[in-house]
Amino acid sequence: MNGPLLSVEELVVEYPVAGGVFRAVDSVSFSVERGKTIAVVGESGCGKSTIAKSIVRLLTPTSGRIRVDGTDIAQMSEKTLRPFRSRIQMVFQDPYGSLDPHLTAVDIVGEPLRLRGIRSKAERARKAAELIDRVGLPSTALTRRPVEFSGGQRQRIGIARALASGPEILVCDEATSALDVSVQAQVLELLREIQQQTDLTYVFISHNLGVVREISETVVVMSKGRIVERGDTEEVLARPKQPYTRALRAAALDPVAMTGIKPRHIVSRLTKTSVGVPA
């Protein structure tokens, strides 16, 4: 179909809280073309992970539309949604917590293949081995369990598992934030190679502007559930127009120094300083 592969339109997500509701995502709209990458960036708690969960329908939005090839999946029943599950997959932030610790790598990657209708265990093992090789792990990884891998290796298994479903859209929710900087670079390079080979479309959720610059063509910047700035990634990061984006950029000038630091604390200090309040 013509037009964007993924289109999020006026998305609203609310959570019940004592005495009412909390609006985590407030009228958010963006789109991404097939084979491209859009980054959703902002401090912790700004709503970006809620958007990710909505796109893969781990939660149902309060209102708005999520169109995949023109079909709105936002309010679909689970039964109607089932064919779309394989088209939209997710790579999670925690490369250990998202993997079943009792299964071997070949079984973890083979499970989506079983759900796709590949009944032969030998055939699933063969295809899983191909995917594990594709993400740069040795054949010796097949029979090992998650606890036997490093963080970067676990994330590669998570990527292989997502690819096993044959997706068109891959949502990466802080997929590199738990990794060392050198390992981050390796995983980003892997994701770029996969996109070049498969024409996958990425929605990349991150608070790290260094990572965003490396992976995405376009970016939306979020604060308190709303988009405050959007555009070409290089343009937005080089010449941010909004004070919030400028503060976020200043907080991430040295990505190495940001390891283990939550951007919201630095942004808060910078914002207070900019209005004359001591940090």
Side-chain angles (χ1 to χ4, degrees):
M1 294 180 64
N2 295 325
L5 176 60
L6 173 68
S7 180
V8 176
E9 304 167 5
E10 295 297 320
L11 185 70
V12 174
V13 182
E14 294 176 336
Y15 297 113
V17 295
V21 296
F22 170 69
R23 182 164 288 194
V25 176
D26 189 1
S27 302
V28 164
S29 299
F30 61 84
S31 62
V32 57
E33 304 291 331
R34 186 182 299 274
K36 301 296 184 180
T37 302
I38 188 168
V40 181
V41 66
E43 61 188 303
S44 298
C46 70
K48 57 188 186 296
S49 288
T50 298
I51 291 173
K53 292 173 184 175
S54 298
I55 292 172
V56 299
R57 277 298 308 274
L58 289 179
L59 58 80
T60 301
T62 304
S63 63
R65 295 163 295 282
I66 301 170
R67 301 188 189 276
V68 178
D69 253 354
T71 300
D72 184 9
I73 68 169
Q75 302 294 329
M76 273 186 179
S77 67
E78 185 58 39
K79 181 178 179 180
T80 308
L81 183 66
R82 198 165 296 136
F84 286 87
R85 291 289 189 192
S86 62
R87 298 179 67 181
I88 312 169
Q89 288 291 300
M90 192 167 186
V91 178
F92 295 89
Q93 177 177 359
D94 183 354
Y96 183 72
S98 62
L99 303 178
D100 189 329
H102 304 292
L103 297 181
T104 62
V106 70
D107 290 332
I108 290 170
V109 178
E111 180 66 9
L113 298 171
R114 185 185 66 80
L115 295 174
R116 288 177 65 186
I118 301 177
R119 298 187 179 278
S120 167
K121 186 174 182 179
E123 179 66 6
R124 290 199 305 270
R126 184 185 68 80
K127 288 183 176 293
E130 289 177 355
L131 287 165
I132 288 171
D133 177 70
R134 187 178 190 176
V135 299
L137 291 176
S139 59
T140 53
L142 296 173
T143 57
R144 290 155 59 191
R145 289 176 169 78
V147 71
E148 301 176 71
F149 294 101
S150 68
Q153 289 172 326
R154 291 171 192 156
Q155 199 61 291
R156 288 173 185 266
I157 294 171
I159 293 169
R161 178 182 59 185
L163 294 177
S165 294
E168 298 170 59
I169 300 168
L170 197 60
V171 180
C172 300
D173 186 14
E174 297 279 12
T176 63
S177 66
L179 307 176
D180 292 339
V181 173
S182 61
V183 181
Q184 283 185 14
Q186 294 170 13
V187 172
L188 289 174
E189 182 59 29
L190 171 63
L191 289 170
R192 278 194 294 265
E193 290 176 1
I194 290 170
Q195 188 176 55
Q196 291 169 1
Q197 295 165 0
T198 63
D199 213 27
L200 257 178
T201 301
Y202 291 152
V203 179
F204 208 91
I205 310 295
S206 183
H207 66 258
N208 189 319
L209 297 188
V211 168
V212 166
R213 180 181 284 109
E214 288 295 316
I215 197 70
S216 68
E217 293 90 11
T218 58
V219 62
V220 295
V221 182
M222 291 192 62
S223 176
K224 298 179 181 178
R226 299 184 67 89
I227 293 176
V228 296
E229 191 160 356
R230 70 176 77 216
D232 174 83
T233 300
E234 285 296 331
E235 179 67 22
V236 169
L237 298 188
R239 288 172 286 278
K241 297 177 181 178
Q242 298 300 319
Y244 176 82
T245 311
R246 289 197 290 270
L248 196 66
R249 178 179 178 272
L253 285 177
D254 183 0
V256 176
M258 289 296 295
T259 301
I261 301 173
K262 294 296 184 183
R264 64 174 178 267
H265 302 313
I266 298 177
V267 170
S268 177
R269 292 205 302 270
L270 289 167
T271 303
K272 288 178 181 178
T273 303
S274 68
V275 296
V277 179

